Amino acid sequence: MTALLLLAACAGSPHAPVPASGTGSGAAATPPDDPPPAPPGAIAGANGRVAGRSAQLAIYVPAAGDRLPEIARRMLGDAALDWRIADANGLWEPEAGVPLLVPLQPPHPMGIAPDSYQTVPILCYHRFGGGQSKMIVSPERFEEQLAWLQRNRYRVLRLSELQGFLDARQPLPERSVVITIDDGYETVHRHAFPALKKYGFTATLFVYADFVGSRDGLSWAQLQEMASSGVIDIQAHSRTHRNLVQRREGESEAAYAQSLLDEVRHPRALLERRLAEAGVKVTQFAYPFGDANEQVLQILQREGYDIGVTVNPGGNAFFAHPLMLRRTMIFGDHDLNDFKARLQTRRPVGSRP
C-alpha cells in the first residue's frame, strides 16, 4: 500500500530525470517503455507483473524465482542496476507476491537525503602474511573481511568509478567501498590477488617505482599478470617513496621542485611503458605517508592526474577534493568489528566526513 501511494504521488508531480553516465554503478540505462507482464518462462528470473508505473516509479510484483539482476534487466535495461531496486526496498532477495518499488530514474547523483549525505570509504592496506607488524594483515583476516563485504552486499568499486560521483553526475550504490593497497609488496600477489579473485572484487595497487623487483617487492611479471586480469588496477605511489612535503637537508628550492616533478612523472612513464601490454594508464597517485602540500597538488594537476589519495581517515562525499581523497588504514590487529566500524557510508547533515 505504501508503495502504491508513493507511485500515485510521483505520478502527480513528475520531476526532470537526473542525467548520469558511466556503467552499472550509476549509468542511466533507458528503461523499456511499459514492459508487459512476462509470460511464464519468457524472462528467467523476472516473470512477475507490473502493477503500475509513473514516469519515476514502477510497482513490480515478483513471481517465484525472480531475482533482482533479472528484474533490473527487464525494468531498467541493465542487470548491473539491481542496486537501485535493492536500495529503494532495503532488500536483495525478492519475495513472490510482495510488491517492489522500482525507481525508473537515477537517484540523486550526490547521494543527498534530507538529513544525511553519502560517503564512500576507501580502505588502505599494505602487506599481507604473517608477522607482528600492524602493517601486515593475515590472509585469513583479509579473506574474512572480503567475505563480510560480500555477505552484506557491499559494492567494491574501482577508484576510477568515484570520478562521476565527485563530479556530481553519477550516483553510486549506497554501500560502495574502494579497496587500495600501497607500496607493491610481493605478498599482494601471493595472498591478496587470489582472495580478490575468489570474491569477484577489484583493488587499486599503488606502486612506487624503485621498489619493483626488489627482494620484497613485486616483479614486473607479477604486475603484468595482475594488471591483465582486470582485478588489480596499477597506479603511481611516487618513484622513491620520499616524503613529498619535506625538503632534504641542504636541498635547494630548485632541486626540491625538480625532485617532486621526477617523483610524479617517472612512475607514470615507467608503469605505462612496462605494463603497456595490459593497457595500464596512470591517472591516480597515492602520496607517500599520505602527505601533500600545495606545490605537490599543483604538479599533479599540471601533469593531468585525476585522483590523489591521502591516509586521512574517513569517507568521501561528493564535495571531497579529488586530489585529497581520504583513506582509512586497515591494520593487522583490526578484528571484524574494527573493520565494520570503518565502513560508514552515510553521515548526518552538519557532520564531518
Side-chain angles (χ1 to χ4, degrees):
M1 178 61 70
T2 301
L4 292 172
L5 290 174
L6 283 170
L7 178 63
C10 288
S13 56
H15 57 272
V18 178
S21 60
T23 58
S25 63
T30 302
D33 290 334
D34 298 320
I43 303 176
N47 290 317
R49 63 186 177 85
V50 180
R53 64 181 288 149
S54 72
Q56 282 71 44
L57 302 170
I59 302 300
Y60 178 87
V61 182
D66 278 8
R67 300 193 319 119
L68 286 193
E70 282 68 36
I71 296 172
R73 181 181 288 112
R74 177 182 169 190
M75 300 297 297
L76 303 176
D78 186 350
L81 296 178
D82 57 348
W83 62 269
R84 289 191 192 170
I85 305 174
D87 285 354
N89 295 275
L91 57 81
W92 279 94
E93 302 295 337
E95 183 178 345
V98 178
L100 291 175
L101 188 67
V102 180
L104 298 178
Q105 302 297 339
H108 199 290
M110 295 180 283
I112 297 174
D115 60 350
S116 64
Y117 58 91
Q118 184 177 6
T119 60
V120 180
I122 303 175
L123 308 181
C124 178
Y125 296 85
H126 284 78
R127 303 179 68 173
F128 303 89
Q132 298 302 311
S133 170
K134 72 175 185 177
M135 304 300 287
I136 302 175
V137 175
S138 72
E140 297 76 18
R141 184 151 287 178
F142 183 57
E143 184 157 339
E144 179 187 35
Q145 293 164 356
L146 298 184
W148 188 88
L149 290 174
Q150 185 182 75
R151 190 165 60 249
N152 287 275
R153 306 288 187 169
Y154 277 78
R155 289 295 180 100
V156 178
L157 307 178
R158 297 181 183 277
L159 186 57
S160 59
E161 290 183 85
L162 281 189
Q163 195 67 59
F165 178 66
L166 297 173
D167 292 342
R169 57 180 171 78
Q170 182 171 316
L172 293 177
E174 186 69 25
R175 292 187 176 186
S176 294
V177 63
V178 178
I179 296 173
T180 66
I181 307 168
D182 281 6
D183 297 339
Y185 284 94
E186 180 274 334
T187 58
V188 174
H189 181 269
R190 184 154 30 114
H191 297 302
F193 182 42
L196 290 164
K197 286 195 293 185
K198 176 180 177 179
Y199 288 94
F201 292 156
T202 62
T204 298
L205 173 63
F206 288 103
V207 176
Y208 70 95
D210 287 0
F211 191 46
V212 179
S214 65
R215 185 185 65 178
D216 293 330
L218 289 159
S219 68
W220 285 110
Q222 290 170 327
L223 287 169
Q224 179 74 38
E225 177 191 353
M226 292 191 296
S228 298
S229 73
V231 174
I232 304 288
D233 186 21
I234 312 294
Q235 297 293 321
H237 192 32
S238 79
R239 177 175 188 165
T240 67
H241 206 277
R242 71 168 287 180
N243 190 310
L244 302 183
V245 305
Q246 295 179 359
R247 283 170 58 174
R248 299 178 175 129
E249 186 176 354
E251 187 176 39
S252 68
E253 184 175 341
Y256 171 62
Q258 183 57 47
S259 176
L260 292 183
L261 198 58
D262 182 59
E263 295 285 349
V264 169
R265 283 181 173 175
H266 178 83
R268 165 187 270 173
L270 182 65
L271 290 170
E272 290 188 352
R273 177 170 57 84
R274 294 297 300 263
L275 302 176
E277 188 176 324
V280 168
K281 296 296 180 184
V282 177
T283 61
Q284 301 157 18
F285 194 93
Y287 307 110
F289 308 102
D291 292 336
N293 56 22
E294 191 61 34
Q295 190 170 353
V296 173
L297 296 181
Q298 288 175 358
I299 290 174
L300 255 65
Q301 286 179 317
R302 288 201 304 268
E303 294 299 312
Y305 280 83
D306 297 326
I307 286 176
V309 292
T310 69
V311 289
N312 299 323
N316 296 279
F318 71 93
F319 50 79
H321 192 306
L323 293 180
M324 287 293 289
L325 295 182
R326 296 172 177 269
R327 286 193 300 169
T328 300
M329 299 275 282
I330 303 298
F331 294 122
D333 58 357
H334 286 166
D335 63 18
L336 192 57
N337 286 330
D338 295 325
F339 177 76
K340 291 188 286 187
R342 286 157 175 78
L343 287 168
Q344 189 169 31
T345 57
R346 188 158 286 277
R347 298 285 293 174
V349 169
S351 64
R352 293 173 59 83

mmCIF file of all heavy atoms in Angstrom, residues 183-187 207-220 222-223:
data_model
loop_
_atom_site.group_PDB
_atom_site.id
_atom_site.type_symbol
_atom_site.label_atom_id
_atom_site.label_comp_id
_atom_site.label_asym_id
_atom_site.label_seq_id
_atom_site.Cartn_x
_atom_site.Cartn_y
_atom_site.Cartn_z
ATOM 1 N N ASP A 183 52.420 0.461 -1.925
ATOM 2 C CA ASP A 183 53.844 0.108 -1.961
ATOM 3 C C ASP A 183 54.171 -0.908 -3.046
ATOM 4 O O ASP A 183 55.009 -0.657 -3.895
ATOM 5 C CB ASP A 183 54.366 -0.390 -0.609
ATOM 6 C CG ASP A 183 54.281 0.683 0.461
ATOM 7 O OD1 ASP A 183 54.218 1.874 0.094
ATOM 8 O OD2 ASP A 183 54.250 0.342 1.658
ATOM 9 N N GLY A 184 53.557 -2.101 -3.013
ATOM 10 C CA GLY A 184 53.874 -3.109 -4.019
ATOM 11 C C GLY A 184 54.654 -4.285 -3.480
ATOM 12 O O GLY A 184 55.570 -4.800 -4.152
ATOM 13 N N TYR A 185 54.290 -4.739 -2.274
ATOM 14 C CA TYR A 185 54.949 -5.916 -1.716
ATOM 15 C C TYR A 185 54.523 -7.183 -2.470
ATOM 16 O O TYR A 185 53.390 -7.301 -2.946
ATOM 17 C CB TYR A 185 54.605 -6.066 -0.233
ATOM 18 C CG TYR A 185 55.352 -5.107 0.655
ATOM 19 C CD1 TYR A 185 54.787 -3.891 1.022
ATOM 20 C CD2 TYR A 185 56.634 -5.412 1.111
ATOM 21 C CE1 TYR A 185 55.478 -2.991 1.833
ATOM 22 C CE2 TYR A 185 57.329 -4.523 1.925
ATOM 23 C CZ TYR A 185 56.749 -3.317 2.278
ATOM 24 O OH TYR A 185 57.439 -2.441 3.077
ATOM 25 N N GLU A 186 55.447 -8.150 -2.526
ATOM 26 C CA GLU A 186 55.193 -9.410 -3.216
ATOM 27 C C GLU A 186 54.003 -10.154 -2.632
ATOM 28 O O GLU A 186 53.331 -10.917 -3.340
ATOM 29 C CB GLU A 186 56.461 -10.272 -3.148
ATOM 30 C CG GLU A 186 56.340 -11.622 -3.836
ATOM 31 C CD GLU A 186 55.737 -12.696 -2.922
ATOM 32 O OE1 GLU A 186 55.877 -12.561 -1.683
ATOM 33 O OE2 GLU A 186 55.115 -13.634 -3.455
ATOM 34 N N THR A 187 53.701 -9.907 -1.367
ATOM 35 C CA THR A 187 52.597 -10.617 -0.728
ATOM 36 C C THR A 187 51.237 -10.223 -1.302
ATOM 37 O O THR A 187 50.256 -10.927 -1.090
ATOM 38 C CB THR A 187 52.601 -10.374 0.788
ATOM 39 O OG1 THR A 187 52.513 -8.956 1.050
ATOM 40 C CG2 THR A 187 53.858 -10.940 1.435
ATOM 41 N N VAL A 207 52.008 1.596 -6.599
ATOM 42 C CA VAL A 207 53.380 1.074 -6.590
ATOM 43 C C VAL A 207 54.364 2.226 -6.652
ATOM 44 O O VAL A 207 54.202 3.145 -7.455
ATOM 45 C CB VAL A 207 53.597 0.157 -7.809
ATOM 46 C CG1 VAL A 207 55.031 -0.319 -7.878
ATOM 47 C CG2 VAL A 207 52.642 -1.035 -7.757
ATOM 48 N N TYR A 208 55.401 2.168 -5.783
ATOM 49 C CA TYR A 208 56.488 3.129 -6.008
ATOM 50 C C TYR A 208 57.566 2.441 -6.826
ATOM 51 O O TYR A 208 57.963 1.306 -6.583
ATOM 52 C CB TYR A 208 56.980 3.768 -4.717
ATOM 53 C CG TYR A 208 57.753 2.965 -3.716
ATOM 54 C CD1 TYR A 208 59.154 2.987 -3.722
ATOM 55 C CD2 TYR A 208 57.111 2.253 -2.706
ATOM 56 C CE1 TYR A 208 59.886 2.300 -2.768
ATOM 57 C CE2 TYR A 208 57.814 1.575 -1.745
ATOM 58 C CZ TYR A 208 59.211 1.587 -1.780
ATOM 59 O OH TYR A 208 59.926 0.911 -0.821
ATOM 60 N N ALA A 209 58.008 3.132 -7.857
ATOM 61 C CA ALA A 209 58.734 2.523 -8.964
ATOM 62 C C ALA A 209 60.019 1.834 -8.534
ATOM 63 O O ALA A 209 60.338 0.738 -9.010
ATOM 64 C CB ALA A 209 59.029 3.584 -10.024
ATOM 65 N N ASP A 210 60.797 2.458 -7.640
ATOM 66 C CA ASP A 210 62.091 1.896 -7.272
ATOM 67 C C ASP A 210 61.978 0.617 -6.453
ATOM 68 O O ASP A 210 62.982 -0.063 -6.229
ATOM 69 C CB ASP A 210 62.914 2.935 -6.494
ATOM 70 C CG ASP A 210 63.451 4.041 -7.383
ATOM 71 O OD1 ASP A 210 63.183 4.001 -8.602
ATOM 72 O OD2 ASP A 210 64.126 4.956 -6.864
ATOM 73 N N PHE A 211 60.771 0.286 -5.989
ATOM 74 C CA PHE A 211 60.570 -0.912 -5.175
ATOM 75 C C PHE A 211 60.339 -2.152 -6.036
ATOM 76 O O PHE A 211 60.527 -3.281 -5.580
ATOM 77 C CB PHE A 211 59.376 -0.694 -4.239
ATOM 78 C CG PHE A 211 59.206 -1.729 -3.155
ATOM 79 C CD1 PHE A 211 60.282 -2.156 -2.399
ATOM 80 C CD2 PHE A 211 57.963 -2.273 -2.898
ATOM 81 C CE1 PHE A 211 60.129 -3.110 -1.392
ATOM 82 C CE2 PHE A 211 57.773 -3.216 -1.899
ATOM 83 C CZ PHE A 211 58.867 -3.640 -1.141
ATOM 84 N N VAL A 212 59.928 -1.949 -7.282
ATOM 85 C CA VAL A 212 59.631 -3.075 -8.165
ATOM 86 C C VAL A 212 60.905 -3.873 -8.416
ATOM 87 O O VAL A 212 61.946 -3.326 -8.754
ATOM 88 C CB VAL A 212 59.033 -2.599 -9.498
ATOM 89 C CG1 VAL A 212 58.755 -3.789 -10.420
ATOM 90 C CG2 VAL A 212 57.762 -1.797 -9.259
ATOM 91 N N GLY A 213 60.809 -5.194 -8.236
ATOM 92 C CA GLY A 213 61.951 -6.064 -8.467
ATOM 93 C C GLY A 213 62.894 -6.208 -7.298
ATOM 94 O O GLY A 213 63.872 -6.958 -7.383
ATOM 95 N N SER A 214 62.620 -5.530 -6.193
ATOM 96 C CA SER A 214 63.461 -5.678 -5.005
ATOM 97 C C SER A 214 63.139 -6.995 -4.300
ATOM 98 O O SER A 214 62.226 -7.725 -4.697
ATOM 99 C CB SER A 214 63.233 -4.507 -4.046
ATOM 100 O OG SER A 214 61.908 -4.530 -3.537
ATOM 101 N N ARG A 215 63.850 -7.300 -3.238
ATOM 102 C CA ARG A 215 63.694 -8.593 -2.572
ATOM 103 C C ARG A 215 62.248 -8.834 -2.120
ATOM 104 O O ARG A 215 61.700 -9.917 -2.308
ATOM 105 C CB ARG A 215 64.626 -8.684 -1.360
ATOM 106 C CG ARG A 215 64.611 -10.050 -0.691
ATOM 107 C CD ARG A 215 65.455 -10.053 0.555
ATOM 108 N NE ARG A 215 64.899 -9.170 1.584
ATOM 109 C CZ ARG A 215 65.429 -9.026 2.795
ATOM 110 N NH1 ARG A 215 66.547 -9.661 3.105
ATOM 111 N NH2 ARG A 215 64.863 -8.215 3.677
ATOM 112 N N ASP A 216 61.617 -7.830 -1.517
ATOM 113 C CA ASP A 216 60.242 -7.978 -1.023
ATOM 114 C C ASP A 216 59.198 -7.424 -1.984
ATOM 115 O O ASP A 216 57.998 -7.527 -1.708
ATOM 116 C CB ASP A 216 60.091 -7.265 0.331
ATOM 117 C CG ASP A 216 60.906 -7.930 1.421
ATOM 118 O OD1 ASP A 216 61.104 -9.154 1.346
ATOM 119 O OD2 ASP A 216 61.343 -7.220 2.343
ATOM 120 N N GLY A 217 59.671 -6.833 -3.073
ATOM 121 C CA GLY A 217 58.743 -6.179 -3.984
ATOM 122 C C GLY A 217 58.232 -7.096 -5.081
ATOM 123 O O GLY A 217 58.773 -8.176 -5.340
ATOM 124 N N LEU A 218 57.156 -6.661 -5.706
ATOM 125 C CA LEU A 218 56.596 -7.390 -6.834
ATOM 126 C C LEU A 218 57.528 -7.338 -8.035
ATOM 127 O O LEU A 218 58.262 -6.361 -8.231
ATOM 128 C CB LEU A 218 55.246 -6.780 -7.221
ATOM 129 C CG LEU A 218 54.091 -7.024 -6.251
ATOM 130 C CD1 LEU A 218 53.003 -5.969 -6.459
ATOM 131 C CD2 LEU A 218 53.522 -8.426 -6.416
ATOM 132 N N SER A 219 57.498 -8.377 -8.847
ATOM 133 C CA SER A 219 58.243 -8.379 -10.101
ATOM 134 C C SER A 219 57.382 -7.777 -11.202
ATOM 135 O O SER A 219 56.159 -7.644 -11.067
ATOM 136 C CB SER A 219 58.624 -9.810 -10.481
ATOM 137 O OG SER A 219 57.461 -10.560 -10.826
ATOM 138 N N TRP A 220 58.016 -7.437 -12.310
ATOM 139 C CA TRP A 220 57.254 -6.910 -13.436
ATOM 140 C C TRP A 220 56.314 -7.968 -14.001
ATOM 141 O O TRP A 220 55.198 -7.655 -14.436
ATOM 142 C CB TRP A 220 58.187 -6.398 -14.517
ATOM 143 C CG TRP A 220 58.830 -5.090 -14.157
ATOM 144 C CD1 TRP A 220 60.134 -4.862 -13.853
ATOM 145 C CD2 TRP A 220 58.151 -3.832 -14.042
ATOM 146 N NE1 TRP A 220 60.324 -3.535 -13.546
ATOM 147 C CE2 TRP A 220 59.131 -2.871 -13.660
ATOM 148 C CE3 TRP A 220 56.842 -3.411 -14.213
ATOM 149 C CZ2 TRP A 220 58.820 -1.530 -13.451
ATOM 150 C CZ3 TRP A 220 56.534 -2.066 -14.005
ATOM 151 C CH2 TRP A 220 57.519 -1.146 -13.634
ATOM 152 N N GLN A 222 54.761 -10.279 -12.264
ATOM 153 C CA GLN A 222 53.600 -10.333 -11.374
ATOM 154 C C GLN A 222 52.677 -9.144 -11.597
ATOM 155 O O GLN A 222 51.446 -9.294 -11.617
ATOM 156 C CB GLN A 222 54.069 -10.391 -9.921
ATOM 157 C CG GLN A 222 54.724 -11.709 -9.542
ATOM 158 C CD GLN A 222 55.394 -11.663 -8.180
ATOM 159 O OE1 GLN A 222 55.915 -10.612 -7.759
ATOM 160 N NE2 GLN A 222 55.408 -12.792 -7.491
ATOM 161 N N LEU A 223 53.251 -7.960 -11.759
ATOM 162 C CA LEU A 223 52.436 -6.784 -12.034
ATOM 163 C C LEU A 223 51.684 -6.942 -13.356
ATOM 164 O O LEU A 223 50.497 -6.594 -13.455
ATOM 165 C CB LEU A 223 53.318 -5.530 -12.075
ATOM 166 C CG LEU A 223 53.848 -5.033 -10.731
ATOM 167 C CD1 LEU A 223 54.907 -3.960 -10.943
ATOM 168 C CD2 LEU A 223 52.710 -4.478 -9.877
#
